[in-house]
């Protein structure tokens, strides 16, 4: 029943290859023709292939709304107003899709998720363009827009057809540099013999071979998905047949369900990235010494990195890479006042944004919450247990490190196949049923691990690490504390809660003064509870 829309979607991905080849051959001196071409192709996809007239309306409302907000509103609130507008608009469509109970239907929400990343970044780029250069970072300077682009260029950015339905997302400055071909300038001093090969007078290097490899990989992943999805699907883990297998077999099926689901994303993202490479926008510079061209500007997933991950951070860093970049650059770092280190509020804002961006199915939130605990456990394991498998200087592995790596790999993969199962089945009763059928093994493991690191075992580990005079302990702890959330998941829940408590405590001491609190007969802890009660409306 769903094969028709799925075949059309796959056809649009494949059709983007010859059309991307046409786009690249439009004369470099005529960027307006490139914009018109990409707009026309996207409109054909929306209406001609999928009959998504309402999709055109959705894209129009979000895009025009964001552009008008950036044009008419100035000041620090502008990008936040734009963010609330486009996220709110997408949330309405997420809820509609959820209420009609059609999670597999091809609609506009996938394209709108990509659009939200583009438009929120666009508002921030316009805002950065209005700030003094000394007040912004190098990243902001590179992407700042001192003046708004014309409507044709903006529409071309919004409706860039190779990444319309499934991404990847990119900033407006990258699109402008691509359309104007300034992206392809060769570094000064490069040996002419090392220049990337081009055809005729085009500045865009030849990209047929890397695009072809991406297309081949994408088709391979899609073929594997079609083969395995008949064997491993959510109907199997929710049906009676599933319970006829033993526990280990059920866990294996859950692992294969997660792997099969990932294959679909590997295939889609490889196909769309390949079309972007063929168009030229995937260009990421060249090595002036070897002349090697890099085409991974818009890489969205690293399948090997995900499948071979030995900890939760490595698993998530290699998944949905461009969304990670968006969350970091346009949420996590934006809610932090200049000169201050990101803390709990930045982590919370990023977590909520990531969750709402995906939608409102309960399964998403079960996955996000449990994954946050996995992040904390992985951090503690790496900080307090992994150094025992390294030499005292922390530079080389011991003979037992391979066993640590194997065990870490197995635990990571088994934990994530359990954690991500609700992301596949979506509904709350179904998610809990799947978890119950494997006895909540990851939740039990999380509880035991959290209890272990909250017990006297943690000081014991620290003591013995210090006895080994392992400088890696302090270095690792320092590095871990500076790491940022991945996919919006807080890196250390315990540290975040401590920061909340400390912030409230500092506020109590600032507002009332320590001496005043003591003279009132109340402890600072009681004062903190009073403030938290006032903020949350709950009696603590």
């Amino acid at each position: 029943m769903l094969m028709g829309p799925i075949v059309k979607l796959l056809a649009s991905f494949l059709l983007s290859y010859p059309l991307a080849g046409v786009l690249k051959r439009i004369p470099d001196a005529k960027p307006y023709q490139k914009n018109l071409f990409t707009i026309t192709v996207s409109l054909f996809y929306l209406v001609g292939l999928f009959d998504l007239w309402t999709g055109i309306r959705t894209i129009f409302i979000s895009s025009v709304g964001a552009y008008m907000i950036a044009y008419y509103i100035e000041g620090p609130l502008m990008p936040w107003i734009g963010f609330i507008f486009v996220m709110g608009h997408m949330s309405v469509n997420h809820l509609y899709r959820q209420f009609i109970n059609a999670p597999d239907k091809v609609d506009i929400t996938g394209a709108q998720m990509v659009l939200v990343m583009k438009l929120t970044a666009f508002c921030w780029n316009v805002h950065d363009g209005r700030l003094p250069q000394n007040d912004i970072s190098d990243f902001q300077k590179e992407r700042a827009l001192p003046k708004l682009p014309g409507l044709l260029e903006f529409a071309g950015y919004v409706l860039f057809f190779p990444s319309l339905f499934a991404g990847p997302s990119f900033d407006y400055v990258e699109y402008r540099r691509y359309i104007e071909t300034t992206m392809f300038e060769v570094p000064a001093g490069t040996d002419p013999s090392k220049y990337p090969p081009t055809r005729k007078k085009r500045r865009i290097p030849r990209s047929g071979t890397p695009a072809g490899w991406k297309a081949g990989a994408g088709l391979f992943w899609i073929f594997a998905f079609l083969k395995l999805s008949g064997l491993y699907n959510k109907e199997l883990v929710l049906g009676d047949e599933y319970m006829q297998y033993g526990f280990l077999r059920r866990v294996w099926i859950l692992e294969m369900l997660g792997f099969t689901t990932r294959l679909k994303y590997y295939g889609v993202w490889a196909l769309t990235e390949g079309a972007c490479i063929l168009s030229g926008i995937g260009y990421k510079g060249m090595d002036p010494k070897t002349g090697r061209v890099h085409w991974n500007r818009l890489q969205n997933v690293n399948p090997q990195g995900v499948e071979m991950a030995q900890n939760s951070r490595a698993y998530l860093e290699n998944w949905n890479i461009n969304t990670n970049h968006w969350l970091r650059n346009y949420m996590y770092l934006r809610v932090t006042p200049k000169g201050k280190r990101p803390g709990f509020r930045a982590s919370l804002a990023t977590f909520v944004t990531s969750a709402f961006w995906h939608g409102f199915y309960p399964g998403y939130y079960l996955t996000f919450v449990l994954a946050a605990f996995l992040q904390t456990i992985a951090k503690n394991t790496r900080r307090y247990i992994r150094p025992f498998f390294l030499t005292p200087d922390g530079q080389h592995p011991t003979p037992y490190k391979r066993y640590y790596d194997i065990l870490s790999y197995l635990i990571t993969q088994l934990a994530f196949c359990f954690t991500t199962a609700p992301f596949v089945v979506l509904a709350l009763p179904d998610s809990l049923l799947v978890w119950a059928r494997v006895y909540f093994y990851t939740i039990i493991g999380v509880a035991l691990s959290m209890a272990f690191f909250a017990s006297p075992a943690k000081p014991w580990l620290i003591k013995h690490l210090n006895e080994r005079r392992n400088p890696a302990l302090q270095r690792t702890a320092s590095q871990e504390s500076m790491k940022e959330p991945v996919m919006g998941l807080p890196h250390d829940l315990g540290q975040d809660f401590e920061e909340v408590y400390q912030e409230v405590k500092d506020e109590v001491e600032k507002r009332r003064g320590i001496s005043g609190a003591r003279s009132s007969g109340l402890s600072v802890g009681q004062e903190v509870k009073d403030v938290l009660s006032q903020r949350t409306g709950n009696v603590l």
Side-chain angles (χ1 to χ4, degrees), residues 217-498:
L219 290 174
F220 171 78
W221 295 125
I222 292 294
F223 178 77
F225 165 73
L226 293 175
K227 284 293 184 181
L228 291 177
S229 60
L231 300 174
Y232 303 101
N233 48 62
K234 66 180 181 181
E235 287 75 18
L236 173 61
V237 297
L238 293 172
D240 296 334
E241 178 186 355
Y242 186 60
M243 293 306 295
Q244 296 177 7
Y245 300 114
F247 171 71
L248 294 179
R249 179 73 179 275
R250 294 200 299 272
V251 172
W252 168 251
I253 291 174
L254 205 60
E255 168 65 31
M256 289 303 297
L257 173 64
F259 175 68
T260 302
T261 302
R262 292 193 297 275
L263 289 175
K264 175 176 64 176
Y265 291 96
Y266 294 160
V268 168
W269 286 337
L271 288 175
T272 56
E273 184 191 352
C276 288
I277 290 173
L278 189 59
S279 73
I281 199 171
Y283 179 79
K284 198 181 179 181
M286 58 162 289
D287 187 332
K289 295 182 179 179
T290 63
R292 181 181 179 185
V293 178
H294 303 289
W295 291 101
N296 61 338
R297 174 184 294 275
L298 300 180
Q299 182 180 6
N300 208 32
V301 68
N302 177 8
Q304 181 179 357
V306 174
E307 301 304 330
M308 300 304 295
Q310 297 179 18
N311 58 71
S312 60
R313 189 171 187 87
Y315 190 103
L316 296 170
E317 280 182 335
N318 288 288
W319 177 262
N320 212 347
I321 297 170
N322 287 290
T323 300
N324 274 320
H325 292 167
W326 171 65
L327 289 169
R328 175 188 183 274
N329 294 315
Y330 297 110
M331 177 52 64
Y332 183 74
L333 296 178
R334 300 291 180 160
V335 299
T336 305
K338 184 181 178 181
K340 292 190 176 181
R341 176 174 164 270
F344 169 76
R345 281 175 289 188
S347 296
L348 179 62
T350 308
F351 177 87
V352 172
T353 299
S354 181
F356 279 18
W357 180 78
H358 282 89
F360 299 99
Y361 283 100
Y364 295 156
Y365 296 85
L366 290 178
T367 293
F368 273 106
V369 171
L370 185 54
F373 284 97
L374 292 181
Q375 281 273 72
T376 299
I377 293 168
K379 184 269 300 181
N380 284 327
T381 301
R382 184 174 179 84
R383 182 183 294 182
Y384 302 117
I385 295 179
R386 183 175 179 271
F388 285 106
F389 297 88
L390 301 174
T391 55
D393 62 3
Q395 300 299 312
H396 304 284
T398 66
Y400 299 101
K401 177 65 162 50
R402 70 187 67 178
Y403 303 111
Y404 171 87
D405 291 340
I406 293 172
L407 186 60
S408 296
Y409 169 76
L410 292 174
I411 291 175
T412 297
Q413 298 299 326
L414 291 175
F416 267 93
C417 80
F418 177 95
T419 302
T420 57
F423 221 91
V424 179
V425 299
L426 300 177
L428 179 61
D430 291 345
S431 299
L432 296 177
L433 175 62
V434 171
W435 279 0
R437 286 181 164 186
V438 288
Y439 310 124
F440 300 97
Y441 71 85
T442 295
I443 294 177
I444 293 173
V446 165
L448 293 175
S449 299
M450 296 294 287
F452 174 79
F453 286 113
S455 72
K458 181 176 176 180
W460 184 89
L461 290 172
I462 294 174
K463 175 184 176 182
H464 283 269
L465 285 173
N466 287 333
E467 289 176 355
R468 296 180 81 229
R469 300 182 181 277
N470 191 337
L473 176 63
Q474 284 299 112
R475 184 176 64 254
T476 302
S478 174
Q479 291 172 346
E480 293 285 347
S481 66
M482 295 298 291
K483 287 186 177 179
E484 300 160 351
V486 182
M487 289 302 298
L489 300 175
H491 184 59
D492 187 343
L493 283 173
Q495 180 178 328
D496 285 344
F497 286 135
E498 289 176 5

Side-chain angles (χ1 to χ4, degrees), residues 5 9 46 50-52 54-55 58-59 90 92-98 100 102-113 164-166 361:
L9 190 61
L46 291 167
F50 297 102
D51 197 28
L52 287 174
T54 56
T58 294
I59 292 175
M90 183 180 65
V92 172
N93 286 334
H94 271 319
L95 290 171
Y96 173 75
R97 185 172 184 239
Q98 185 171 340
I100 65 174
D104 297 319
K105 179 183 177 183
V106 176
D107 65 358
I108 200 60
T109 52
Q112 196 174 10
M113 292 171 73
L164 177 66
F165 288 110
Y361 283 100

